[in-house]
């Protein structure tokens, strides 16, 4: 019985080995695999268009390769530009059939991703890769070629600017492109408000008004503004609408809508829905707002002030552009951590571009513009103000004409955020008076001329002083003064721009230069400024462009004329 069992076991092993050998024989690959063939394309030249993007680009058909056994073969259509050698080909989705038909859009997107330029023909090659196993080398068909011209797949937006935006370029409603010449947006429209379309948020941009759409079809809520700018007049009820614009067909449709919303909820809001920071919708997926961010605090964005709403956390913006202060919370909710200092910040979010910008908020604007009669009411002609900090701004050499009117503005081409005479309750100089008009303008009551004007939004004051291109004081500081302003000789000035000092000690070889203001090393007059010099002076040739005294040690009278750019020494 024992021998019988041993014999049975031996037979089972023998049969198993034999079966394996037979199976191995079945899966042996031919020494020379019969490659498959890809049919030629139906055309040698393809011009792709946005309108045909959903259509089939080409039906690719090929035969099956012969690996020497019955196999499950996976096929991949590959594409490369001529000369690329399929070193880094683009692969379309795989199939196990002998044909595939990529869309125009798929081919166009692939070509643009490979660096092809829109509206320029590029040589393209196709082949099919056949695979049966990671352990078996793939087989490739012959290569077929054609010239393909891709189209521009993304199109710039246009903008609505009008009464609902305060005629402020910075508040322009972005109308997103949905295709060549077609646009959509959701925004606020005001009853009896006027507006028109702009190619960019600029008064000089191409514009489309009522006259452009004449002969087309516009929504019943729109009428002619009957003005010289060809504005539209919105005759509907104030509210939020979805607007669709087709510049090709000259059509505009409107339907009631709801403004998109975005909220910040986190530690700074106590994770309370009712205290969520709501951002203002700007159009085109863009939002902005001002609010508190807490150091080391967690937060994320919500479409609504609702825990069940769509949420945008760190993972959504990963790969986009976010400020250094926003870091990955590393938790299951994809929160941000605010790594900055606790405070109030201005935040701008673009959900489409996946970008976030952040800056510390200030109660005062970063810029100031003076616009009025002397500037022909053009922001471009405003004098240049220096922001001295703390809400104080200064401009020098400002031309004022007696009786001219003007007021101040925060932002270029923004007529809304302004400061008129009524704002400055802290006091204004006698050269200025209030016009008393609807715009609360100033009138310049002084003599026509150039002035230095200092505006303090914090103190609500304005100081106006006659402007001189030359300083009121002058300091000589150098080796003989131990480079200390307090040791400068005392200059007197009886004529504008001309300064004189007596009993000034000079040591041979000593260096120096002139300065406008006590302890101010920035505003100086160096050797290169002057064109007429005493023979006792030469250029020191150093990085500060100092003078060098090469005369005899002693005391001198020095006369500095900034008008004629001369320096004279006498004993």
């Amino acid at each position: 019985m024992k021998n019988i069992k041993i014999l049975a076991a031996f037979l089972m092993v023998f049969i198993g080995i034999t079966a394996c050998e037979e199976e191995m024989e079945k899966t042996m690959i031919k020494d020379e695999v019969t490659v498959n063939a890809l049919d030629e394309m139906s055309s040698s030249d393809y011009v792709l268009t946005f309108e045909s993007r959903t259509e089939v680009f080409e039906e690719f058909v090929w035969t099956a390769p012969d690996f020497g056994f019955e196999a499950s073969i996976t096929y991949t259509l590959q594409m490369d530009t001529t000369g690329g050698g399929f070193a880094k080909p683009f692969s379309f989705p795989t199939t196990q059939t002998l044909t595939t038909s990529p869309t125009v859009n798929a081919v166009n997107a692939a070509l643009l991703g490979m660096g092809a330029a829109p509206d320029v023909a590029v040589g393209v090659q196709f082949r099919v890769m056949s695979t049966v196993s990671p352990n078996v080398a793939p087989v490739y068909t012959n290569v077929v070629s054609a010239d393909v011209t891709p189209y521009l797949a993304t199109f710039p937006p246009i903008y609505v600017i009008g009464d609902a935006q305060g005629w402020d370029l910075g508040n322009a409603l972005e109308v997103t492109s949905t295709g060549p010449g077609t646009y959509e947006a959701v925004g606020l429209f005001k009853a009896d408000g006027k507006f028109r379309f702009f190619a960019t948020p600029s008064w000089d941009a191409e514009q489309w008004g009522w006259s452009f759409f004449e002969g087309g079809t516009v929504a019943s809520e729109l009428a002619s503004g009957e003005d010289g700018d060809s504005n539209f007049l919105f005759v509907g009820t104030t509210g939020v609408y979805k607007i669709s614009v087709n510049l090709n067909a000259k059509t505009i449709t409107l339907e009631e809508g709801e403004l998109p919303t975005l909220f910040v909820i986190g530690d700074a809001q106590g994770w309370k829905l009712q205290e969520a920071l709501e951002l203002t919708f700007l159009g085109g997926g863009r939002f902005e707002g001002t609010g508190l961010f807490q150091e080391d605090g967690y937060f994320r964005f919500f479409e609504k002030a609702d825990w069940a709403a769509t949420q945008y956390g760190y993972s959504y913006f990963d790969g986009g552009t976010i400020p250094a202060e926003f870091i990955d919370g590393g938790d299951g909710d994809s929160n941000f951590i605010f790594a900055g200092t606790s405070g109030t910040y201005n935040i701008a979010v673009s959900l489409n571009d996946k970008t976030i910008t952040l800056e510390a908020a200030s109660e005062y604007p970063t810029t100031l513009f003076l616009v009025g009669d002397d500037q022909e009411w053009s922001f471009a002609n405003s004098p240049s103000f220096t922001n001295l900090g703390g809400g104080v701004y200064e401009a020098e050499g400002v031309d004022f004409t007696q009786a001219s009117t003007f007021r101040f503005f925060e932002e270029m081409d923004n007529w809304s955020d302004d400061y008129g005479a009524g704002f400055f309750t802290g006091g204004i100089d006698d050269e200025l008076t209030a016009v008393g008009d609807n715009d609360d303008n100033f009138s310049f009551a002084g003599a026509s001329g150039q002035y230095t004007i200092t505006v303090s939004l914090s103190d609500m004051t304005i100081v106006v002083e006659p402007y001189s291109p030359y300083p009121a004081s002058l300091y000589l500081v150098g080796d003989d003064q131990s480079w200390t302003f307090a040791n400068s000789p005392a200059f007197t000035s009886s004529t504008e721009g001309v300064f004189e000092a007596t009993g000034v000690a000079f040591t041979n070889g000593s260096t120096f230069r002139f300065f406008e203001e006590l302890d101010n090393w920035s505003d100086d007059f160096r050797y290169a400024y002057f064109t007429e010099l005493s023979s006792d002076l030469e250029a020191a040739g150093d990085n500060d462009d100092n003078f060098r005294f090469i005369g005899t040690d002693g005391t001198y009278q020095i006369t500095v004329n900034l008008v004629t750019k001369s320096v004279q020494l006498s004993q």
Side-chain angles (χ1 to χ4, degrees):
M1 177 64 72
K2 182 177 180 181
N3 291 336
I4 294 174
K5 289 181 179 180
I6 292 173
L7 177 62
F10 173 78
L11 289 173
M12 290 179 66
V13 170
F14 176 77
I15 292 170
I17 293 173
T18 303
C20 289
E21 288 178 346
E22 290 176 355
E23 185 64 27
M24 289 177 66
E25 288 176 1
K26 288 181 182 179
T27 58
M28 287 293 291
I29 299 175
K30 294 172 61 177
D31 291 337
E32 293 186 11
V33 176
T34 303
V35 300
N36 48 343
L38 175 62
D39 289 356
E40 291 295 324
M41 300 173 69
S42 61
S43 175
S44 61
D45 191 7
Y46 297 78
V47 178
L48 311 185
T49 64
F50 181 85
E51 290 73 20
S52 64
R53 64 190 181 280
T54 59
E55 298 176 9
V56 171
F57 166 73
E58 173 75 19
E59 182 182 9
F60 292 89
V61 179
W62 56 90
T63 59
D66 183 3
F67 285 92
F69 63 93
E70 192 171 318
S72 175
I73 306 175
T74 298
Y75 302 100
T76 305
L77 177 67
Q78 295 184 327
M79 179 178 73
D80 200 356
T81 54
T82 301
F86 289 94
K88 294 182 178 180
F90 177 85
S91 296
F92 291 92
T94 60
T95 180
Q96 291 193 308
T97 65
L98 298 178
T99 180
T100 188
S101 302
T103 64
V104 167
N105 184 63
V107 174
N108 189 78
L111 285 176
L112 295 179
M114 296 168 74
D119 301 321
V120 177
V122 59
V124 180
Q125 296 182 321
F126 297 89
R127 71 180 183 184
V128 174
M129 177 177 69
S130 305
T131 57
V132 293
S133 166
N135 301 319
V136 178
V139 173
Y140 299 96
T141 66
N142 56 298
V143 174
V144 297
S145 304
D147 288 335
V148 182
T149 303
Y151 59 84
L152 183 66
T154 57
F155 306 91
I158 61 174
Y159 298 84
V160 171
I161 305 175
D163 287 324
Q165 293 74 39
W167 291 101
D168 179 358
L169 295 176
N171 293 334
L173 171 64
E174 181 178 312
V175 190
T176 305
S177 174
T178 57
T182 59
Y183 307 86
E184 285 185 356
V186 176
L188 176 68
F189 289 84
K190 289 186 176 181
D192 298 324
K194 293 183 177 183
F195 71 92
R196 59 186 186 275
F197 300 101
F198 292 74
T200 62
S202 170
W203 302 121
D204 298 328
E206 183 179 3
Q207 302 172 27
W208 299 275
W210 175 264
S211 60
F212 175 85
F213 288 88
E214 286 184 331
T217 305
V218 300
S220 60
E221 293 89 349
L222 302 179
S224 171
E226 302 293 343
D227 56 21
D229 291 324
S230 188
N231 282 311
F232 292 90
L233 177 68
F234 184 72
V235 296
T237 304
T238 297
V240 175
Y241 293 80
K242 176 183 177 182
I243 184 169
S244 301
V245 181
N246 189 321
L247 296 180
N248 305 319
K250 297 186 177 182
T251 62
I252 303 175
T253 61
L254 282 168
E255 58 183 87
E256 291 186 7
E258 181 179 330
L259 279 180
T261 55
L262 192 67
F263 295 82
V264 177
I265 305 176
D267 286 328
Q269 293 75 37
W271 291 101
K272 297 178 181 178
L273 295 177
Q274 64 271 24
E275 295 182 14
L277 169 61
E278 183 173 4
L279 305 183
T280 301
F281 177 63
L282 303 178
R286 296 180 299 116
F287 301 81
E288 70 176 13
T290 301
L292 177 66
F293 286 85
Q294 178 180 312
E295 185 173 357
D296 296 329
Y298 286 72
F299 69 93
R300 60 187 184 272
F301 299 98
F302 290 74
E303 189 176 72
K304 304 284 185 183
D306 186 333
W307 300 122
T310 300
Q311 301 172 30
Y312 305 92
Y314 184 89
S315 60
Y316 177 85
F317 291 91
D318 193 18
T321 303
I322 60 177
E325 295 88 347
F326 288 6
I327 62 176
D328 186 1
D331 56 9
D333 290 324
S334 187
N335 281 309
F336 294 90
I337 294 178
F338 184 67
T341 304
S342 296
T344 302
Y345 292 81
N346 297 324
I347 184 171
V349 179
S350 174
L351 295 179
N352 296 348
D353 299 333
K354 297 185 178 181
T355 62
I356 306 173
T357 61
L358 187 78
E359 63 178 8
S362 171
E363 59 181 313
Y364 304 113
T366 57
T367 56
L368 194 69
F369 296 84
L370 185 158
V371 185
D373 295 333
D374 288 322
Q375 293 74 39
E376 298 178 339
W377 290 98
S378 169
F379 280 83
N381 297 332
S382 169
S384 179
F385 279 89
T386 300
N387 187 339
L388 302 179
V392 181
Y393 311 81
E394 186 175 86
E396 297 180 337
V398 181
D399 290 311
F400 282 101
T401 303
Q402 191 175 49
S404 63
T405 63
F406 66 92
R407 63 186 187 276
F408 301 98
F409 299 85
E410 288 189 3
E411 189 178 13
M412 173 74 83
D413 293 326
N414 178 0
W415 297 100
S416 301
D417 298 327
D418 58 353
Y419 300 92
F423 174 84
F424 294 91
T425 56
I428 58 177
D429 275 2
D430 293 339
E431 287 86 355
L432 303 180
T433 61
V435 174
D437 57 7
N438 291 334
D439 290 324
D440 195 25
N441 283 313
F442 294 91
S443 177
F444 189 74
S448 298
Q450 286 193 324
Y451 291 81
T452 295
I453 182 169
T454 304
V455 181
S456 174
L457 299 181
S458 50
D459 294 336
M460 300 181 184
T461 60
I462 303 176
V463 176
V464 178
E465 299 173 324
Y467 169 73
S468 171
Y470 306 108
S473 57
L474 194 70
Y475 296 84
L476 185 158
V477 185
D479 294 332
D480 289 322
Q481 292 75 37
S482 301
W483 290 98
T484 301
F485 278 84
N487 297 332
S488 169
F491 282 91
T492 60
S493 177
S494 57
T495 304
E496 186 177 50
V498 181
F499 300 85
E500 187 175 270
T502 59
V504 182
F506 283 96
T507 303
N508 183 269
S510 64
T511 63
F512 65 92
R513 64 186 188 274
F514 302 101
F515 297 86
E516 291 188 8
E517 190 177 10
L518 183 65
D519 293 328
N520 179 357
W521 296 100
S522 300
D523 299 329
D524 56 357
F525 295 94
R526 305 184 176 200
Y527 180 87
Y529 175 85
F530 297 91
T531 57
E532 184 180 344
L533 298 170
S534 172
S535 60
D536 296 316
L537 301 176
E538 69 174 12
D542 55 12
N543 291 334
D544 290 324
D545 193 25
N546 286 311
F547 294 84
R548 177 182 285 114
F549 179 73
I550 57 175
T552 304
D553 293 1
T555 57
Y556 291 77
Q557 175 176 307
I558 182 170
T559 303
V560 182
N561 191 322
L562 299 178
V563 181
T564 62
K565 298 184 178 181
S566 68
V567 180
Q568 298 299 323
L569 296 177
S570 61
Q571 283 187 308

